[in-house]
Each structure stands twice: as structure tokens, then as C-alpha cells.
Amino acid sequence: MDDTSIEQFDAVIIGAGFSGLYMLHRLRSLGLRVHVLEAAADVGGTWWWNRYPGARCDIESFDYSYSFDPDLEQDWTWTERYATQPEILAYIGHVAERFDLRRDISFGTRMLEARWSDGTAQWSLTTDTGRRLRARYCVMAVGCLSRANRPRFDGMDEFTGRILHTGEWPHEGVDVTGLRVGVIGTGSSGIQSIPLLAQQAEQLTVFQRTPAFTLPAMNAPLDPDTVAAFKARYRAHREATRHSNGGVLTTLAEESVLTVDAEERDRRFEAAWGSGTLFGLLSSFSDLMIDPQANELAAQFVRDRIAEIVTDPVVAERLSPRSFPIGTKRLCLDTGYYATYNRPNVELVDLHAEPIDRFTATGIEVGGREIPLDVIVFATGFDAMTGALLAPDIIGRDGITLREKWSEGPRAYLGIATSGFPNLFTITGPGSPSVLTNMLVSIEQHVEWTAACIDWLEQHGARSIEATAEAENGWADHVTEVAGFTLYPTGNSWYLGANIEGKPRVFMPYIAGVEIFRTVCDDVAANDYRGFAISR
Ligand code: NA7
């Protein structure tokens, strides 16, 4: 292939979800030639792939949307407190139309390799459709939860029914009416889909390894008055969330739960339970995520609710998490999850008591008995935060791949850059607040910082920017140290990589929150990109 077949751009972005689309918009407005590569057939990222029944956001619609354009937020009207996947996808499609984004995106195109050349100070990219692209900047906007985790089980290939993954759900939908369905996994995807699958299926069997803590979403339609009132104060609200800790307006209470009496404790826990928010319960006292004894009080409060809702005490106990502090694995919001286990057509299998022996042609064998199944749903989550970054061959200076560089765990300065990989930006990468916050706020922060950085490089005639090893190591140590002040690292969560066999255990998200992180990032930029080496 000769050089004429190489498509030349200033920047190539990988991924057309919320972060890739906004990155495209920002870089295009700087006058750069930008192109996006997207494996899916349209925009949407995680919301394009995750179409399982009940898929819904657990951040409120008003907050889980772009804030960068005041007219956009006035024109779009959400219909529910927590938007469904189809509504979010429609919103993303609306944004793509409004800003004419699709013309710079190649869909159905997966980046296979990105290789840095010191000689040209450019990235050369190849795709699974045989294309070659070259660009000075490469932005990985691949999402934190986008590479499906598909555990292998003995006999899997013998199963003659259908195997599905919640994160790669068929677009035409799946009708399970009259079928025997098995769900493996009880994280957020399992918890959202199980109540709906149970309503349709003849028999539903849930295979649970670790029970999760989930709180009622209290979802409801949004009435026009609420929407109008919210829109009237939208700008002030956005400003406040941008400078908040979690990217939503929650205030961490000042008192320790250990200093109040049982009545006051229960009053606050009840209020949080009834509020239908992800952050309310854990913010209701100052020390729930710091002190094991304090945390246990909140955990027991939720276990007591489970025991009230689930009529069979054996099943209630099976559903009650006891192996990790509440909140250290991501909390879930649900609609009717625990009550689903009161249905006569639902069985809960505890995989600790009855491990999966094997799949058979007609079902799953656990503890020596076969459960006959027509459909098996893997709700087994993702190779979180690094999976999609390490899937392609990203080859930096001296031929080192990102996979090699991060073989003992990711190290990225401010979560956005890593030494040996100049002009490569990882939006909401490991070491940034990302999944511990409202993703939209964290995405906008990282995208805006990256756009400003690229603009600065262009203005200063710089060839490349690269995190120094010193800055990157200092930051990674800081991320670990801050997490160590909390209970978070004690849960076997995907925050730590614990859900993937052989993955290095590093606490990946930055726990200090969006506002502190924003201040640090802005300060780095204001000091001529302290911690970065810039070549001219
Ligand atoms: P999660 O939260 O990672 O949940 C995956 C579930 O699958 C969890 O219960 C796992 O148990 C279970 N799992 C994973 N592998 C296995 C095997 N091999 N055998 C049995 N069970 C297994 O993913 P989700 O898709 O539900 O949610 C991801 C995020 O998306 C969510 O937090 C929101 O941010 C949106 P484990 O707990 O590892 O024992």
C-alpha cells in the first residue's frame, strides 16, 4: 500500500459515545480536521450496546446529559426521572444531528492498531476495514465499561439454546415468553433485567456469585411543571454540579453515624432509602465509607429491608450481602428487584453453595443437579476501565505496547496521559474520578481539558506532549493513597479489577471527586502543563 492510501487528519478519536462525540465537537470548533472511528453502527457507545430489558441510567436524567450548550438543555425534554436506554440513545442521536457530527464518523470501523512515530510525531492507525489513518493526536474515548466480560464454563459450546450478554443485547429484542431463562450475574445489569425477564419467562433462575446492595430507584414520569421549573434554574444547577464532588448535588453529612442515637440513624437511613438516589444513603453520615463499624450499620439497614420485602427467609438471607462493606462495590438502583424473588417462577441459586459444574446441551448443572434452560443471559459485566484501552495494539515510543506498559496495572497522569505515548489522551482513564461520579460531568471535564491542551499545543507550535514518568508515578501513588483512606479498596470490585481473573489489583478511579480533580487539572494547565514534557 502506498502513502496515497493514508488518510491524514489532525486528530483521530476512537469511540462515538458521550465522550467521543463531545471531543469531536470541541476539536472541530478549534478548526482541526478530526475523524472518529466507531465499531458500532451508530452513535451512543454504551447506550448503543446495552439494550437488555430494563436498561436505564441510575443518575437522574437532568444530570445525565450534556451541560455545554444551554439551548440544548432547554430544547430537550426528558420524560422520566431515570431515563431508559432508548430515551438516552434518542438524546445522543439528537445531539449528533444538532451538531452535524455523523459526517466525521466512520461507523462499523474498529481501530486495530495505533503506532506512534517519533520521526513524524504522528500516530498511524489501522482498522478492521483495511483503512490507514494518520494524525498528530489520538484520543481514546472508549468508555470505562465497554469490553464485555465473558467468563468460560465447561461445556459451554454444547449448550443448544441461546447465550446472550447484557452488554451486547440483540437489537431486534428477545422475546422470552414461555421460555426457561437463566441469568448469571447480579450486578446492575442483572438487577435491572431480572424483574422484567421474570415477568415474561415461564421460569427464571438467577445464578448469584455475590449478592449486591440495591436501593429502590423511585423512578417516575416527569410532569411538565417539574420540567419547566428545572429548566428555569438549569444554568445554576449545572454550575453547582460542575463544582461538586460526585457530579450530582449531594451533601456529605457532617456527623458520624456513631454519634447519633438509633432513632436519628434510622430516620436518616429511611429518608435516604426513600429518596431513590445512588449517593443519598452513603452521604447520610460522614463516616460510612471510612469506618467499618459505621459502614456495617448502613449495610444492616439494607439487609433489614431485604428481610422485610422477601417473604422466604432463606432466600432473603441468600440475597443479603455480607462479604464486603456497602458501597465498596458499586451500589445499584432497582425497580422491584427484591420483590421479584417472591414470584413462584423465580429461583435463586447461590453459587457458593452450588457452584456451576458445567453447561449441558439443555441447561446448567449446579451442585450435581441440572437446571433446564432455553436461554442463558450473561449479566457478567465488563473488563472495566482498562479493557477497551488494552484491546487494540497501542504502540508507543520504542515499540512498547500499552498492554506491556500497564502489565502491572495502569499508570496515567491525571488519568489522561501516560509516558512513552505522546499525544495520546485517554478520556476518563484510570486515575480520574470517572465511574465514581456522574460520568457526564467527568467526561465534560476531561474533554474540555484535552481540547484546551491541544489548542495550547497548536498555539505554541509544539510537536508533542507527553506525561513524565515522575509525574505519572506520583499521580498513580496519590490515587492509591487517597483510596486507602477509605473502605473502597476492601471490596472485591471491578474498581480494583477483581472481577477479571489475572487482572492486576489497582484501585483505578480517583476518589477525591470532580471538584478537587478539576482544580488539580486546571492548575497543571495554568503552569505550562506541569508534569508533561513538551517538544517543539
Ligand atoms: P457488574 O457490576 O460487574 O456485575 C457482574 C455480575 O456478574 C456480578 O454479580 C459478578 O459477580 C457476576 N459474575 C461475573 N463473573 C462471573 C462468573 N464467572 N460466575 C458467576 N458470576 C459472575 O456488571 P454489570 O453489567 O451488572 O454492571 C456494570 C456497571 O454498568 C454498573 O455498575 C453500572 O455502572 C452500569 P461478582 O460480584 O464478581 O462475584
Side-chain angles (χ1 to χ4, degrees), residues 22-33:
Y22 185 35
M23 195 75 248
L24 168 61
H25 178 60
R26 290 303 285 231
L27 291 183
R28 213 158 66 176
S29 64
L30 293 176
L32 300 182
R33 285 166 306 158

Side-chain angles (χ1 to χ4, degrees), residues 46 129 185 200 229 292 373-374 408 425 451 496:
T46 195
T129 55
Q200 239 188 34
L373 298 167
D374 304 302
E408 288 176 16
F425 299 90
L496 269 170

